[in-house]
Amino acid sequence: MASALLSFFGGILFAVIALHGPWFIRLPVRFFAWLFMGTPLLLQLFLIYFGLVQIGIDLPAFVAGVIGLGLHFAVYNSELIQTAIIAVDKGQMEAARTLGLSRGQALRKIVIPQAVRDVIPPIGNNMIALLKDSALVSVIGVSELTLTAQLAIGRTYRPFEFYVVAAVCYYIINLGLEAVLRRIERRVQAAR
Amino acid sequence: MDFELMLRIYPFFLEAAWVTIQLSILTTILGLICGTLGAAARLSRFATLRFTGAAYVSIIRGTPALIQLFILYFGGPQVGIQLDAFEAGVIGLGVNIGAYMTETMRGAIISVDKGQREAARTLGMSQFQAFRRVILPQALRLMIRPLGVNINALIKGTALVAAISVVELTYTAQRYIGSTYKPFEMFLLSGVLYMVIIYVTGKGIAYLDQKVRLQ
Amino acid sequence: MTDQSPFVDIRHAQKSFGTLEVLKDISLQVQQGEIVAIIGPSGSGKSTLLRAINDLDPLTGGEVWLEDMQVNKALPHRQYEAHINKVRQQIGMVFQHFNLFPHLTVRGNITLAPRMLKGLSAEEADKLAEEQLAHVGLSDRIDYYPSQLSGGQKQRVAIARALAMQPKVMLFDEATSALDPELVEEVNLVMKRLAEAHMTMIIVTHEMGFAESVCDRVLFMDEGVVVEEGPPSVIFHNPQNERTRNFLRKHLADNNG
């Protein structure tokens, strides 16, 4: 949940920076995005969890997991939002500037709301992917669903049942998310 | 940055990268097979097959790949399936990506214009002939790019098998992070190799796409 | 009206894209309350000139003044931004493709800028929106989204949105070109009423009949220069320049053919 929020707002932030920021911020952000899109999430989780310790920041595994998942999906969301921002008609920015709005105001009030509306379905899909990938943080020792199943297995030696139960839990959450997403989509469609 | 260390251990990473490549290739092949069967089932005339296909896609896409791997590798022996970690990795990931490929292929096939099929049928072709001669060639053209996206995700997805101790890139990185306490260096080494694999694959797919488009 | 210093003053405007010269040393003075039409073939530079007035297409040479304020002042980026936003609040503009904000209702479209930039309260802005909509005859559409309106209605809302900022000048960039023929008249009517209220207007248009009936002065532009200018009676019925005659003849033939 925390990761989802981080990935959503981080995505918007990255998108705006990647498109409109000054070059000395824009380039590192683009490089960072390129790095995160080209390597596996699991590897990134290791880097964040163990890497921060190396430079003297000892984060609990949960926080590292949230940051890792959040950043990873923020990068993916940012790509979607960038495309959407570019796709918003140029006339929208012009009309807003003509009324006297500054570039930042026009982005915030006119362009970004339209872009976000256009990317709700694909971002929703990313959220669902995020839910599933949250299983990965079990590897760095966050006690979520997957790790809980592992612990139960350690006690009972019945891996098949417990993993299937865990899978069913994920599946149910997933179905719920999809239903919510479809609802939001329909609502947004109406306001077009 | 400890470059000396990186120079010393990079051969292990190259070896691990080779495992990742093997995993990727085998998984892609299995994924394509599962995807083709899945798409055929989902577009079938028989309701049972359609339902089976839909259930496959929904269940696999609705649960984490990591759990699927665990069920197969740790849970398998309990129901009489003994696989080593590498085999479990290929089968688990292949069946997983196959569900995504099913949707890609189905999407490509149904996006070929309905008029195309009607035109073929009015020329006197059978349903099967129309599919084979008219629909499929066009659909294949449409699906190369999105399948490329699936394969890109798959390559990064092979990192998951580190969790069942297949000695591939991520596992190797993790192991050396543990023994050297140099996470950034290890990330750099394995990250670069992942990027190279993904880059080369991407180029190959773009080339294939280009070639098909020229026909 | 006594002769006074010009309200909008364009001095030696020059604009080029690479080696292509779109505006070649154009000067234009518009008095307060005056209504000027700019006509000419497409590619003549008339839209570029109009868009230079609020610096949407910055000039490469020359100056634009609104009263005693230079619009295209050379300033450091930050100061320029603050300056141009102030200037643009005083210049209303209407686009060919309306450019209404699709995610906001009609009310939202009209109240956004007054609330953000003039600090109006929600109630004040609402009252303003109601007034402006009454002027353009769309009071009953205040809670509609742009997608629910016809082209003519959209353009009337766009005019109301611009007027809500109480601009000193209104710029119209082919405001009726994208409309179905039967919807043109409702927009023209709104513009006529504005003219009667002595709004200063600069209108780029293809509607010769409208230009003749509403405007005080007509400029004919071609290839980046003002070929001929004068009162509509002269330009439309007794043009002095060969190119003006050719253009009008061709335009008439196109519209009747």
Side-chain angles (χ1 to χ4, degrees), chain A residues 41 69 127-138 144-147 149 162-175, chain B residues 57-72 92-93 95-97 100 157 160:
Chain A
L41 172 59
L69 278 173
M127 295 290 170
I128 289 171
L130 186 148
L131 164 75
K132 287 181 281 168
D133 281 344
S134 68
L136 291 185
V137 299
S138 66
E144 41 65 82
L145 200 46
T146 306
L147 191 69
F162 279 104
Y163 281 130
V164 168
V165 167
V168 169
C169 291
Y170 277 110
Y171 190 63
I172 290 169
I173 303 177
N174 187 48
L175 285 184
Chain B
V57 169
S58 170
I59 291 171
I60 296 290
R61 299 210 311 175
T63 55
L66 190 65
I67 299 271
Q68 293 162 18
L69 274 181
F70 285 168
I71 291 178
L72 190 64
L93 291 177
V95 169
N96 178 271
I97 204 72
Y100 292 86
L160 288 189

Side-chain angles (χ1 to χ4, degrees), chain A residues 45 49 58-67 137 140-143:
Chain A
L45 285 175
Y49 185 51
D58 195 357
L59 285 178
F62 177 78
V63 177
V66 166
I67 293 176
V137 299
I140 59 171
V142 178
S143 64

Side-chain angles (χ1 to χ4, degrees), chain A residues 91-92 94 97-98 109 192, chain C residues 51 81 88 100-101 147:
Chain A
Q92 293 290 313
E94 273 184 6
R97 295 307 303 273
T98 302
K109 291 283 178 182
R192 233 159 238 257
Chain C
R51 290 159 60 93
E81 283 293 311
R88 284 177 181 156
L100 289 181
F101 306 133
S147 59

Side-chain angles (χ1 to χ4, degrees), chain B residues 129-149:
Chain B
Q129 283 171 327
F131 181 76
R132 218 186 87 97
R133 297 283 171 189
V134 179
I135 310 289
L136 197 58
Q138 297 184 53
L140 280 180
R141 214 169 288 197
L142 289 176
M143 65 178 73
I144 288 181
R145 248 173 231 263
L147 281 179
V149 175

Side-chain angles (χ1 to χ4, degrees), chain A residues 89-92 94-103 105 108-111 113-114 117 190-192, chain C residues 51 54 56 81 84-85 88-89 91 93 95 99-103 112-113 116-117 145 147 161-162 165:
Chain A
D89 183 21
K90 225 181 74 209
Q92 293 290 313
E94 273 184 6
R97 295 307 303 273
T98 302
L99 288 170
L101 268 65
S102 73
R103 204 179 169 72
Q105 287 171 322
R108 212 167 58 239
K109 291 283 178 182
I110 305 301
V111 177
Q114 291 181 51
R117 195 192 54 187
R192 233 159 238 257
Chain C
R51 290 159 60 93
N54 62 3
L56 217 49
E81 283 293 311
I84 198 68
N85 293 336
R88 284 177 181 156
Q89 291 176 33
I91 305 178
M93 184 159 189
F95 298 88
N99 295 351
L100 289 181
F101 306 133
H103 62 303
L112 178 78
M116 280 184 79
L117 304 173
Y145 280 94
S147 59
R161 177 175 74 179
M165 290 300 284

Side-chain angles (χ1 to χ4, degrees), chain B residues 45 114-135:
Chain B
R45 263 178 302 158
K114 213 176 88 201
Q116 291 287 320
R117 209 194 65 208
E118 284 172 357
R121 292 307 295 277
T122 50
L123 288 172
M125 291 187 201
S126 72
Q127 178 119 17
F128 179 72
Q129 283 171 327
F131 181 76
R132 218 186 87 97
R133 297 283 171 189
V134 179
I135 310 289

